[in-house]
């Protein structure tokens, strides 16, 4: 049976940072976004409020800023090699993130079968962000179920990789999970735990299963 590997982005594929922080760094607004990251991680604001506030910060954002943020971000090593191996053995891999879709979608080029992020307008912004398009922890579970149907994968054959509170619901809905450089919200409920900078090493924890 094929398996579906579901990857979070912020703090998981990106080590110690988030896509919004890396985007904001290009605009000299890193500190403001780190503060927003802290607020959402502590549950002081929700995803729609977070999205509205980063949208306001990104008034001058261009496609060049987004490209520079993506290329310069501190990615884990061997992401593309892991996804190539997942494809080689007939499994599927997807990225599901609360971060903006215009950033997450770039990972299709690295070999992901599918990517889902919060829907933001095209850059540069000429229209407001729609709060109904902003993903949540619960949405990750719904998207996982949808991907299982699309790929013909049983929910019992899903593996989730994540690091924080937004991954907790997903970890609770799949049989196998890998906490990657994780905080207390998921470290205690994950099947496996990995600390380091190489996705292949995290993948090795589940590679021989199935």
């Amino acid at each position: 049976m094929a398996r579906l590997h579901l990857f979070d982005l912020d703090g998981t594929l990106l080590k110690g940072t988030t896509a919004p922080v890396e985007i904001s760094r290009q605009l000299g607004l890193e500190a403001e976004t780190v503060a927003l990251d802290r607020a959402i991680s502590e549950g002081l604001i929700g995803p729609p409020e977070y999205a509205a506030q980063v949208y306001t910060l990104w008034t001058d954002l261009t496609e060049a800023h987004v490209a520079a943020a993506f290329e310069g971000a501190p990615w884990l090593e061997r992401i593309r090699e892991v996804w190539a191996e997942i494809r080689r053995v007939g499994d599927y891999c997807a990225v599901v993130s609360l971060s903006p879709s215009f950033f997450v979608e770039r990972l299709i080029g690295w070999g992901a079968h599918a990517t889902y992020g919060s829907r933001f307008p095209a850059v540069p912004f000429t229209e407001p962000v729609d709060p109904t398009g902003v993903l949540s922890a619960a949405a990750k579970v719904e998207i996982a179920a949808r991907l299982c149907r699309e790929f013909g994968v049983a929910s019992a054959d899903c593996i989730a990789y994540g690091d924080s509170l937004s991954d907790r619901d997903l970890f609770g809905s799949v049989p196998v999970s890998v906490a990657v450089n994780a905080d207390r919200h998921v470290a205690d409920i994950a099947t496996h735990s990995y600390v380091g900078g190489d996705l292949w090493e995290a993948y090795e924890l589940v590679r021989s299963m199935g």
Side-chain angles (χ1 to χ4, degrees):
M1 286 290 294
R3 299 186 298 172
L4 172 60
H5 299 257
L6 296 155
F7 295 91
D8 171 54
L9 172 63
D10 301 320
T12 303
L13 298 178
L14 288 172
K15 188 175 182 184
T17 188
T18 66
V21 167
E22 295 306 304
I23 293 166
S24 293
R25 192 190 311 278
Q26 300 298 318
L27 299 168
L29 298 168
E30 177 186 358
E32 290 86 340
T33 309
V34 168
L36 288 174
D37 277 8
R38 190 176 304 115
I40 195 170
S41 69
E42 294 173 357
L44 301 177
I45 60 173
E49 293 83 5
Y50 181 96
Q53 292 190 50
V54 293
Y55 172 87
T56 300
L57 288 176
W58 294 342
T59 303
D60 299 323
L61 189 64
T62 67
E63 188 64 25
H65 290 132
V66 178
F70 186 89
E71 292 162 12
W75 299 98
L76 290 194
E77 296 176 20
R78 295 200 283 181
I79 294 173
R80 280 168 278 203
E81 289 83 348
V82 168
W83 293 351
E85 176 65 10
I86 286 171
R87 284 177 171 268
R88 187 189 70 78
V89 301
D91 288 346
Y92 298 93
C93 54
V95 181
V96 185
S97 170
L98 274 58
S99 276
S101 52
F102 60 73
F103 189 95
V104 184
E105 288 164 359
R106 290 173 172 265
L107 289 167
I108 288 288
W110 285 15
H113 286 93
T115 61
Y116 285 85
S118 293
R119 288 199 310 273
F120 271 67
V123 176
F125 300 144
T126 57
E127 56 189 276
V129 63
D130 181 356
T132 65
V134 178
L135 299 189
S136 63
K140 287 191 173 188
V141 178
E142 296 167 6
I143 290 168
R146 187 186 317 159
L147 288 170
C148 283
R149 293 192 296 271
E150 289 179 10
F151 295 138
V153 175
S155 58
D157 295 311
C158 288
I159 300 165
Y161 303 74
D163 75 304
S164 64
L165 183 60
S166 70
D167 303 302
R168 191 174 178 90
D169 289 358
L170 184 59
F171 274 30
S173 72
V174 300
V176 179
S177 54
V178 183
V180 179
N181 297 317
D183 65 20
R184 58 185 174 81
H185 293 106
V186 293
D188 60 335
I189 62 169
T191 313
H192 304 279
S193 189
Y194 171 72
V195 177
D198 189 333
L199 188 62
W200 189 277
E201 294 174 355
Y203 173 59
E204 284 281 2
L205 297 173
V206 297
R207 186 182 181 196
S208 62
M209 297 172 53

